[in-house]
Amino acid sequence: MLENLNLELIFKKSAELGLSNFRIYAERTTTTHVEIEHKDQKARHMESGGLSVEYQTSLQGCWTTLRTNQFTTESVLDLLGLNPNEEKAVKAAPKKQSDSFNLGKKISTLQLLVRKINLDNSLSQPVSFSYREKRQRFQFCSHPNKISEGEIEQGEAQFDVQSSFRGNPLCFSHKLSSSDLETLEKDLQKIPEQIQTKIQLGSTEKWPLPEGNIPVGWSSKALAKITSCFVRGFEGDLVLKNFSYLAHASLPFKFNFSIEEQPLKTNHLIDHEGSPKKNRVIFDGQKPRALATDCETAQAFAVESTGHSRREAFDRPSSIGFWHAVLKGHEPVASVLELMTEGIWVEEIEIEELDLISGYVTLNFSQANLVHQGQIGE
């Protein structure tokens, strides 16, 4: 990508044009989408990418962004309105071979998993399954002699069962997503056990309804979605614009948990502006300890960037967001479920609405069950 460009020439020409804070962002993305239904399977593999040039016409001027799908010096000079013929010959670097993608092996593994679900549970209708994987390699350059680069992995899987077991209807829908593909694939292996649990629940007797104040237990997946809503209030640009509940909250809070940012080591430890990602405490249970910032927001706060510039694609504007926020309880226990004599266990939720100014969230309990004596029931 950027290693194929004559960066010395490009930055020299940008300086001659009087452009300030000149920088180049390049990205190449591979997306895989697999659908499996009984014995049929479909797979699509797509590649996309391009680069964007950003600059200011003066130190206090507005930012200008120009984009192209071509990774060449000529295309960048053309964006700047210069004569592309001034390009100096540069030996193209060899293309980096993708060593992380093996579509055939992945499809075979997923087919075996779906087949196991169908055979083990004797379902009247086979399971349908879709899997989407995205790998993004990006580079950032604000100086002709330095290129920062990183890689982001994202994936999501959806299982759908509309079937019956021994004449009883069985409906099961489960969605997994993760920025760590290895973790996602491990979670997929747990799906057969969850479907078997669903079958067993359908054949049990009615469980007693809880009375009075009803305890609610949350799965790690459900709690992670709630946590993601909470930490959005710690995004620096929202705080600056008074669009965060933190701007109106009465501090200190009195919560028995803390939140830490722990970027995954499987991804490169820089953000999309080349700033380093670091482990840091975001919230200590009472007060914010850090806000997520990119370079521009950090400048407004007169601090260094915390490495939270995120970019979905080269043709999209950058935004601020946490990479891997981890909630830590002040009194950890081995299993919350075992402590519940009755109540409701929330396995999966959907965020229906989020008002960041007030902090109100509307949740949809898409999968919840009664609990009795530490056991999940109907």
Side-chain angles (χ1 to χ4, degrees):
M1 295 190 293
L2 294 184
E3 59 270 16
N4 297 338
L5 274 60
N6 188 337
L7 296 176
E8 291 283 355
L9 175 63
I10 292 173
F11 276 83
K12 176 184 176 182
K13 292 298 181 181
S14 69
E16 292 175 357
L17 292 172
L19 306 181
S20 303
N21 296 318
F22 186 83
R23 58 196 191 189
I24 305 174
Y25 171 84
E27 164 255 312
R28 191 186 300 277
T29 300
T30 57
T31 304
T32 306
H33 190 195
V34 180
E35 295 181 355
I36 300 176
E37 189 166 346
H38 197 35
K39 297 181 180 180
D40 298 327
Q41 59 88 8
K42 299 177 182 178
R44 299 192 303 274
H45 179 56
M46 297 166 286
E47 293 192 3
S48 61
L51 61 83
S52 66
V53 174
E54 299 175 339
Y55 59 85
Q56 292 174 292
T57 52
S58 65
L59 289 177
Q60 301 299 326
C62 296
W63 282 94
T64 299
T65 303
L66 304 172
R67 300 181 177 92
T68 177
N69 296 98
Q70 303 298 318
F71 297 101
T72 64
T73 304
E74 180 180 11
S75 64
V76 176
L77 294 177
D78 189 44
L79 286 178
L80 299 177
L82 299 172
N83 184 1
N85 294 328
E86 294 186 41
E87 175 190 353
K88 295 180 181 178
V90 180
K91 183 179 179 181
K95 289 186 177 181
K96 183 180 179 181
Q97 297 296 321
S98 174
D99 56 359
S100 60
F101 178 76
N102 188 329
L103 182 58
K105 182 178 180 180
K106 184 147 295 187
I107 292 177
S108 298
T109 302
L110 296 174
Q111 283 180 317
L112 289 174
L113 179 61
V114 172
R115 189 176 303 170
K116 173 179 175 59
I117 294 173
N118 289 328
L119 293 177
D120 288 0
N121 297 299
S122 303
L123 301 178
S124 62
Q125 297 293 327
V127 172
S128 63
F129 171 73
S130 65
Y131 175 78
R132 184 175 179 271
E133 172 182 299
K134 177 181 176 182
R135 294 178 184 267
Q136 181 194 74
R137 178 177 173 243
F138 63 90
Q139 294 178 325
F140 180 84
C141 177
S142 58
H143 189 278
N145 297 324
K146 182 179 179 181
I147 299 175
S148 302
E149 65 176 69
E151 186 172 289
I152 302 296
E153 299 179 340
Q154 293 177 310
E156 62 180 28
Q158 175 83 34
F159 272 89
D160 288 298
V161 180
Q162 298 292 330
S163 185
S164 63
F165 178 77
R166 295 179 180 175
N168 296 318
L170 173 65
C171 298
F172 180 88
S173 181
H174 198 74
K175 185 175 184 179
L176 295 169
S177 61
S178 175
S179 56
D180 178 7
L181 296 182
E182 183 177 349
T183 299
L184 179 63
E185 291 172 3
K186 288 181 180 179
D187 289 341
L188 288 176
Q189 306 303 318
K190 303 175 184 177
I191 294 293
E193 179 183 345
Q194 294 183 20
I195 292 182
Q196 187 62 38
T197 301
K198 189 75 174 179
I199 290 174
Q200 293 174 354
L201 292 177
S203 59
T204 58
E205 297 180 357
K206 295 291 183 180
W207 286 58
L209 293 175
E211 297 178 353
N213 294 328
I214 302 177
V216 179
W218 304 84
S219 72
S220 58
K221 296 190 295 294
L223 198 57
K225 290 185 178 181
I226 297 176
T227 303
S228 68
C229 294
F230 182 73
V231 299
R232 283 218 58 196
F234 292 70
E235 295 174 9
D237 55 339
L238 296 179
V239 175
L240 275 176
K241 299 173 184 177
N242 287 329
F243 287 166
S244 166
Y245 61 84
L246 289 180
H248 316 284
S250 298
L251 299 175
F253 293 127
K254 295 182 180 179
F255 297 147
N256 60 351
F257 63 84
S258 60
I259 299 177
E260 296 182 16
E261 171 75 315
Q262 298 180 359
L264 295 170
K265 295 181 180 180
T266 53
N267 294 327
H268 289 224
L269 295 181
I270 63 168
D271 70 356
H272 286 85
E273 291 181 329
S275 301
K277 307 175 190 174
K278 296 180 181 178
N279 286 15
R280 65 183 75 236
V281 176
I282 303 167
F283 177 68
D284 62 6
Q286 297 184 5
K287 297 180 181 180
R289 295 283 300 278
L291 298 178
T293 64
D294 57 7
C295 290
E296 185 177 356
T297 307
Q299 186 177 9
F301 283 116
V303 297
E304 292 185 354
S305 170
T306 57
H308 287 100
S309 175
R310 304 186 61 150
R311 201 164 194 154
E312 185 177 347
F314 81 98
D315 57 352
R316 302 285 183 88
S318 61
S319 60
I320 293 177
F322 288 95
W323 298 102
H324 188 235
V326 177
L327 185 146
K328 293 187 173 182
H330 293 168
E331 298 180 10
V333 296
S335 173
V336 174
L337 182 61
E338 294 177 359
L339 301 177
M340 298 177 64
T341 56
E342 63 175 7
I344 297 175
W345 181 259
V346 181
E347 182 64 28
E348 188 63 272
I349 64 171
E350 302 298 333
I351 308 298
E352 296 287 340
E353 186 177 354
L354 170 62
D355 186 337
L356 283 171
I357 296 178
S358 66
Y360 285 108
V361 183
T362 303
L363 305 177
N364 174 27
F365 288 18
S366 54
Q367 186 178 345
N369 299 91
L370 294 176
V371 174
H372 184 64
Q373 301 300 329
Q375 297 293 320
I376 296 178
E378 63 175 335

